[in-house]
């Protein structure tokens, strides 16, 4: 595995650090007036979800890990396990539902997701960035209420609450960003 300098760490990199696999979530490069520059890195453990703030100097060497990504199709949910199928080999894999965290409601039947593997171990499931959902409950459209930045609360068919523009009504399909839980556009 390649070793990189502490100042080469970027958000999204996977690192082997203190005996675990960590994803770099946020990286701030700091250059104090006194002393050497360093990178303040927020890390998230890929196995148990713990967070860690670490300081890496440019002379520090860290192992960068490359994860294999495979497109897999979501088949069904059984209790608290989700079953996915490899689109090429038709092999099935069952993963715990909590691997998705709070993005779980956006997983839809037949959806193709990217699963990241370290060897044979599945570490992360990435949903498509945008998902189409139906608005099941929101306030009615009020004529003349089209101010530039006014939003109203809405409940989607998967139970998630998001803020939507005033011109979107009930039973309309909208596109939601699965990373920020924000309205993107009308479907």
């Amino acid at each position: 595995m390649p070793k990189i300098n502490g100042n080469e760490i970027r958000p999204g990199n996977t690192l082997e650090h203190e005996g675990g696999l960590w994803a770099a979530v946020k990286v701030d490069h700091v250059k104090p007036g006194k002393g050497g520059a360093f990178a303040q890195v927020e890390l998230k453990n890929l196995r148990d979800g713990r967070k860690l703030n670490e300081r890496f100097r440019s002379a520090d060497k860290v192992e960068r890990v490359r994860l294999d990504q495979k497109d897999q199709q979501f088949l069904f949910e059984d209790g608290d396990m989700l079953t996915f199928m490899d689109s090429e080999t038709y092999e099935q894999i069952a993963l715990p539902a909590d691997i998705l965290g709070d993005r779980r409601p956006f997983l839809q039947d037949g959806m193709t997701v990217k699963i990241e593997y370290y060897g044979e171990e599945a570490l992360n499931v990435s949903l498509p960035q945008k998902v189409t959902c139906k608005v099941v409950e929101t306030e009615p459209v009020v004529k003349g209420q089209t101010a530039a930045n006014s939003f109203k609360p809405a409940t989607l068919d998967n139970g998630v609450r998001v803020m939507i523009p005033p011109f979107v009504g009930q039973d309309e399909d909208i596109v939601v960003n699965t990373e920020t839980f924000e309205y993107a556009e009308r479907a």
Side-chain angles (χ1 to χ4, degrees):
M1 280 180 257
K3 282 192 180 271
I4 59 172
N5 293 338
N7 61 350
E8 294 175 2
I9 299 171
R10 300 284 175 260
N13 285 3
T14 304
L15 310 172
E16 191 170 317
H17 180 65
E18 294 180 0
L21 289 174
W22 301 81
V25 180
K26 212 157 91 180
V27 180
D28 286 326
H29 293 280
V30 181
K31 190 173 180 203
K34 205 172 186 181
F38 60 87
Q40 186 71 36
V41 183
E42 184 180 318
L43 299 168
K44 181 177 181 231
N45 191 305
L46 291 174
R47 291 192 173 109
D48 58 21
R50 285 182 297 143
K51 291 214 172 187
L52 175 71
N53 275 317
E54 200 69 55
R55 186 176 280 193
F56 294 99
R57 303 222 170 267
S58 60
D60 295 343
K61 297 279 189 196
V62 287
E63 294 259 342
R64 181 165 176 210
V65 179
R66 297 225 184 262
L67 298 177
D68 298 325
Q69 289 189 340
K70 289 185 184 172
D71 285 341
Q72 303 206 332
Q73 184 179 18
F74 173 62
L75 296 178
F76 60 89
E77 182 174 8
D78 183 27
D80 61 345
M81 298 298 280
L82 305 173
T83 302
F84 298 91
M85 178 182 67
D86 191 315
S87 342
E88 295 170 7
T89 64
Y90 301 108
E91 288 179 27
Q92 293 184 5
I93 180 173
L95 299 173
D98 61 355
I99 195 167
L100 283 169
D102 54 357
R103 298 168 300 153
R104 166 66 190 96
F106 290 109
L107 185 65
Q108 299 168 346
D109 287 343
M111 179 181 276
T112 301
V113 299
K114 283 195 186 317
I115 299 182
E116 293 180 331
Y117 288 91
Y118 179 64
E120 293 295 312
E121 180 184 10
L123 292 174
N124 190 20
V125 176
S126 300
L127 295 177
Q129 188 175 3
K130 294 184 177 179
V131 173
T132 302
C133 298
K134 185 183 279 304
V135 176
V136 292
E137 185 183 323
T138 187
E139 299 164 10
V141 178
V142 178
K143 194 171 173 116
Q145 186 187 12
T146 54
N149 280 343
S150 67
F151 282 83
K152 61 184 182 179
T155 305
L156 304 177
D157 54 1
N158 57 12
V160 175
R161 291 184 56 81
V162 295
M163 298 301 282
I164 60 173
F167 57 81
V168 177
Q170 197 162 320
D171 297 326
E172 284 191 53
D173 288 339
I174 62 169
V175 176
V176 179
N177 185 322
T178 58
E179 293 167 8
T180 61
F181 297 146
E182 292 175 349
Y183 167 89
E185 61 192 7
R186 265 187 170 151

